[in-house]
Amino acid sequence: QLQLVESGGGLVQPGGSLRLSCAASGFTLEYYGIGWFRQAPGKEREGVSCINRRGGSTMYADSVKGRFTISRDNAKNTVYLQMTSLKPEDTAVYYCAADWRITTAQTMCSTGYEYTVWGQGTQVTVSS
């Protein structure tokens, strides 16, 4: 059974940092492209950062460029989202998703792209 589990969310003050993890089981994450998405209450889900299957393409939403970094640790079958300089508007439930198709990170982060598997989400709250 393909499964993704996010962790690392929590409450952090503005300007703080968090590292989200997306651990895969039942499949080898190295052969999948990964997307990080978030959804705040009353808002649509948005693509935050994506990395394609071959790792040669990454994409960041304008709102997080220069603050968030996506990376892989193939040995741990895990993808990370390092978040720094967090702002209250980053508050949301963050989800990771994986898909086996070969495409660009920009395509993977586009609205409506269909993923093979989704995680259950982890809450990130940025507040003083």
Side-chain angles (χ1 to χ4, degrees):
Q1 182 179 0
L2 307 182
Q3 190 174 11
L4 292 172
V5 177
E6 301 97 334
S7 61
L11 174 64
V12 64
Q13 293 187 342
S17 299
L18 284 174
R19 188 178 75 163
L20 304 184
S21 299
C22 173
S25 61
F27 65 106
T28 303
L29 207 53
E30 178 181 2
Y31 302 115
Y32 285 70
I34 303 297
W36 281 99
F37 295 81
R38 67 185 180 187
Q39 188 164 21
K43 294 187 177 181
E44 293 188 354
R45 186 177 65 197
E46 66 168 332
V48 175
S49 180
C50 296
I51 183 167
N52 73 340
R53 173 173 168 171
R54 293 175 172 172
S57 171
T58 58
M59 182 272 179
Y60 296 92
D62 288 342
S63 58
V64 307
K65 279 181 183 177
R67 300 189 298 121
F68 290 12
T69 304
I70 190 170
S71 63
R72 294 178 178 269
D73 186 336
N74 293 332
K76 294 183 177 180
N77 214 27
T78 299
V79 172
Y80 302 99
L81 185 68
Q82 178 69 49
M83 308 187 296
T84 63
S85 302
L86 283 162
K87 305 175 181 180
E89 51 263 43
D90 294 318
T91 296
V93 177
Y94 284 70
Y95 302 88
C96 64
D99 189 69
W100 60 270
R101 290 169 290 177
I102 299 173
T103 185
T104 65
Q106 184 174 10
T107 297
M108 296 191 75
C109 268
S110 61
T111 301
Y113 185 84
E114 295 191 1
Y115 281 82
T116 305
V117 58
W118 286 84
Q120 83 290 348
T122 185
Q123 176 70 47
V124 171
T125 303
V126 184
S127 175
S128 55

